[in-house]
């Protein structure tokens, strides 16, 4: 049985993802894509960072990346997010507000772990080939049925 390399939650992709997410308008378009198209934002931003690094991923590698993190996303990230959202209208109570903040921290850490899984997968797969302009994020969104105008808006904000 092959031993996997330990996850590195502090990898450069995490820093890049945070910087990208903090750009004007990016959080809004990401949350819109998450709410209206069920897009995994960590996965989307990972693909966009691969684009920016000129790491072209085949359709098979895009699908493998998604498949590799879907169990974690569905069983860890989403339940934490649901709990945090459930508490929002109750957060006037200081005890609930403190609990909500703790869950928010765990949710962010779970997303950081998810990204580390993607980076490890990329590292283990080796180089994606010649570095060239690529459209991983756009292809991912198109396969999810996102309309061209939303794809163009995401691309312009994260370019």
């Amino acid at each position: 049985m092959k031993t996997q390399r330990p996850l590195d939650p502090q990898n450069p992709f995490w820093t890049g993802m945070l910087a990208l997410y903090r750009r004007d308008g990016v959080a809004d378009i990401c949350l819109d894509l998450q709410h209206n198209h069920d897009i995994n934002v960590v996965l989307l931003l990972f693909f966009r960072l691969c684009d920016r690094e000129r790491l072209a991923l085949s359709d098979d590698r895009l699908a493998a990346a998604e498949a590799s993190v879907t169990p974690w996303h569905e069983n860890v990230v989403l339940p934490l997010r649901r709990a945090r959202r459930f508490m929002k209208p109750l957060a006037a109570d200081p005890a609930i507000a403190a609990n909500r903040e703790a869950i928010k921290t765990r949710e962010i850490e779970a997303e950081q772990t998810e990204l580390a899984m993607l980076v490890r997968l990329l590292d283990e797969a080796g180089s994606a080939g010649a570095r060239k302009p690529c459209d991983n994020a756009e292809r991912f969104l198109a396969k999810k049925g996102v309309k061209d105008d939303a794809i163009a808006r995401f691309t312009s904000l994260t370019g």
Side-chain angles (χ1 to χ4, degrees):
M1 183 172 171
K2 182 181 173 187
T3 304
Q4 285 189 322
R5 169 177 80 72
L7 294 172
D8 177 13
Q10 294 300 327
N11 65 74
F13 272 78
W14 179 249
T15 306
M17 190 176 88
L18 291 178
L20 191 57
Y21 192 78
R22 290 178 180 141
R23 283 178 151 191
D24 285 342
V26 172
D28 291 337
I29 185 71
C30 286
L31 292 175
D32 179 65
L33 291 167
Q34 178 179 287
H35 295 280
N36 295 317
H37 299 280
D38 201 29
I39 298 296
N40 176 336
V41 172
V42 170
L43 192 59
L44 173 61
L45 293 177
F46 170 74
F47 290 147
R48 189 62 177 137
L49 290 169
C50 286
D51 291 339
R52 294 175 83 190
E53 293 294 319
R54 301 168 66 102
L55 298 170
L57 305 174
S58 67
D59 287 344
D60 287 345
R61 288 184 77 186
L62 290 175
E66 183 175 16
S68 74
V69 297
T70 294
W72 177 264
H73 189 76
E74 290 177 353
N75 292 292
V76 179
V77 175
L78 292 180
L80 289 167
R81 184 172 298 147
R82 281 191 296 273
R84 177 182 53 81
R85 286 180 178 165
F86 174 80
M87 291 181 190
K88 187 174 184 175
L90 308 171
D93 183 289
I96 293 174
N99 240 321
R100 185 172 184 272
E101 281 305 308
I103 289 172
K104 180 180 177 182
T105 299
R106 297 292 87 80
E107 180 186 354
I108 291 167
E109 290 170 350
E111 290 176 328
Q112 188 174 15
T113 299
E114 183 175 337
L115 182 65
M117 291 173 175
L118 291 164
V119 170
R120 180 172 64 189
L121 183 72
L122 186 65
D123 289 347
E124 288 175 351
S127 172
R131 293 185 181 251
K132 59 184 180 180
C134 47
D135 61 351
N136 302 307
E138 291 87 348
R139 287 185 295 121
F140 172 68
L141 289 172
K143 285 181 193 249
K144 295 293 186 180
V146 175
K147 303 267 188 250
D148 289 343
D149 58 329
I151 295 172
R153 183 169 169 239
F154 174 79
T155 302
S156 71
L157 290 169
T158 59

